[in-house]
Amino acid sequence: MEGADSTKAIKLPGSSGDGQKRNKIKAIFFDLYGTLFISEAGDIASSVEKKDNSFFYKTFKICGIKDFENNNDINKFLNLFYSAILKKHKIEKENGNATPEIDIRDIWQETLNNFGISKSNYEIEKIAVIYESLINKTWPMPGLKNILNFISKKGIPMGIISNAQFYSEYLFEAHLKKSPLTLGFIKSLCYYSYNKKVAKPGKAMFEEALSEIKKEKKIISDEILYVGNDMLNDIKPASLSGMKTCLFAGDKRSLRLRTGHEETKNITPDYVITELCMLKDILS
């Protein structure tokens, strides 16, 4: 919780650089879901996989779409919606993208078109936002505003590398009444999977972020701390990219330890924290 500044981050033995002189942290990147924001689904991927037609029904009712009057129509829409996601993933993987990401707006547009329903880009975005707000409620992680203010005042560049959709950035405005830029995030250092067409645990966003921050700030990989809640999607690619890593273990529903997972068995985070305020110990 905020105010618990005496709590210390846990430095793990066996982590990268353990026992060696460590470079000062000069920049920090965050994951979004399960790290900066509590997510009812645990993360954004869970909401994409939660096949419950009642959320589609409620969304259509709120948006005034009256083309789906019975359960069979809703079920058909649901099946086509998720089939469209799987199809796009399959095509991308066949083209060499091992960790593809979709833009959810494309899925909504395509599926509605299959029912002869045409909507403007603005209407599609409104529908997508309402559906997400119903299926995946979010809250700011305790201490979020405090730690972002602390980092910003220290002049440490902040960025985001997250599996996310177009609406994910709205979480800051919705919960903190400020844009990411106003809170101290640098626009060129914010990477969201939907507009990169690639998701974590792929390293593509990490590598692009490293290239950009080296060019802009002359900061190299082991001077950067990446904070995330997932050993596979966050800690592994950040570690393999050369960043220092911090596992956020402050939310049980979203913590992904991936115990026994083959791809994470030799991966150890540099730090573990259970409250965001514990970052002050690492960055001071």
Side-chain angles (χ1 to χ4, degrees):
M1 300 297 290
E2 288 190 57
D5 296 350
S6 61
T7 307
K8 299 295 184 181
I10 300 171
K11 172 69 174 69
L12 296 184
S15 57
S16 60
D18 185 50
Q20 303 176 19
K21 184 177 180 181
R22 301 168 62 79
N23 286 339
K24 180 180 179 181
I25 299 300
K26 297 181 179 178
I28 184 166
F29 284 87
F30 290 97
D31 172 52
L32 281 183
Y33 294 92
T35 302
L36 296 184
F37 294 97
I38 299 168
S39 167
E40 188 174 59
D43 56 43
I44 196 169
S46 297
S47 68
V48 172
E49 297 164 1
K50 193 173 182 179
K51 300 181 180 180
D52 186 335
N53 67 13
S54 67
F55 292 105
F56 286 107
Y57 177 81
K58 291 174 184 175
T59 299
F60 295 142
K61 187 173 182 179
I62 292 170
C63 295
I65 299 174
K66 300 179 180 180
D67 301 74
F68 303 94
E69 297 295 340
N70 61 64
N71 224 34
N72 288 334
D73 290 337
I74 295 289
N75 284 333
K76 183 180 178 182
F77 186 94
L78 181 151
N79 291 329
L80 286 173
F81 187 89
Y82 289 107
S83 293
I85 294 174
L86 293 174
K87 181 180 178 182
K88 286 185 181 294
H89 280 173
K90 183 174 183 292
I91 292 171
E92 283 293 308
K93 286 181 178 179
E94 289 174 349
N95 290 332
N97 183 355
T99 56
E101 179 66 286
I102 49 91
D103 185 330
I104 202 67
R105 292 171 293 191
D106 296 337
I107 304 300
W108 278 104
Q109 190 76 264
E110 178 182 326
T111 312
L112 286 169
N113 285 345
N114 283 335
F115 284 84
I117 303 170
S118 179
K119 296 292 181 182
S120 68
N121 291 338
Y122 171 78
E123 289 172 314
I124 289 293
E125 290 192 352
K126 179 181 176 182
I127 293 167
V129 167
I130 290 172
Y131 178 76
E132 176 66 14
S133 67
L134 290 172
I135 200 171
N136 191 21
K137 292 180 174 61
T138 58
W139 303 266
M141 202 64 71
L144 175 57
K145 196 169 186 178
N146 181 285
I147 194 61
L148 294 182
N149 185 55
F150 172 84
I151 297 169
S152 181
K153 283 185 175 180
K154 285 184 72 71
I156 298 173
M158 289 192 291
I160 295 167
I161 302 174
S162 184
N163 287 348
Q165 287 295 323
F166 75 93
Y167 44 67
S168 301
E169 209 171 20
Y170 300 164
L171 292 172
F172 294 98
E173 291 276 7
H175 294 298
L176 303 181
K177 310 305 179 187
K178 290 185 177 182
S179 71
L181 301 186
T182 305
L183 290 164
F185 288 96
I186 298 173
K187 186 174 183 179
S188 61
L189 300 182
C190 292
Y191 295 82
Y192 304 106
S193 57
Y194 82 95
N195 59 16
K196 296 298 178 181
K197 306 302 181 188
V198 61
K200 299 181 297 184
K203 292 198 302 178
M205 288 192 290
F206 291 88
E207 291 171 347
E208 189 173 341
L210 285 172
S211 176
E212 186 66 24
I213 200 168
K214 184 178 181 181
K215 181 177 69 175
E216 280 193 18
K217 304 291 184 180
K218 310 301 181 188
I219 296 173
I220 59 176
S221 60
D222 66 354
E223 298 172 326
I224 300 168
L225 182 70
Y226 184 82
V227 186
N229 61 288
D230 190 317
M231 284 296 296
L232 176 63
N233 287 348
D234 297 323
I235 304 305
K236 179 191 173 184
S239 179
L240 294 179
S241 298
M243 295 179 179
K244 296 294 182 283
T245 57
C246 178
L247 178 68
F248 178 72
D251 181 44
K252 288 183 180 180
R253 83 187 78 194
S254 60
L255 179 60
R256 303 285 188 266
L257 293 175
R258 311 287 187 174
T259 305
H261 199 292
E262 187 68 20
E263 291 189 56
T264 60
K265 67 177 183 179
N266 296 318
I267 301 295
T268 303
D270 292 280
Y271 302 95
V272 175
I273 61 173
T274 54
E275 299 175 18
L276 289 177
C277 69
M278 294 166 74
L279 287 171
K280 295 180 181 182
D281 178 45
I282 301 172
L283 299 173
S284 295

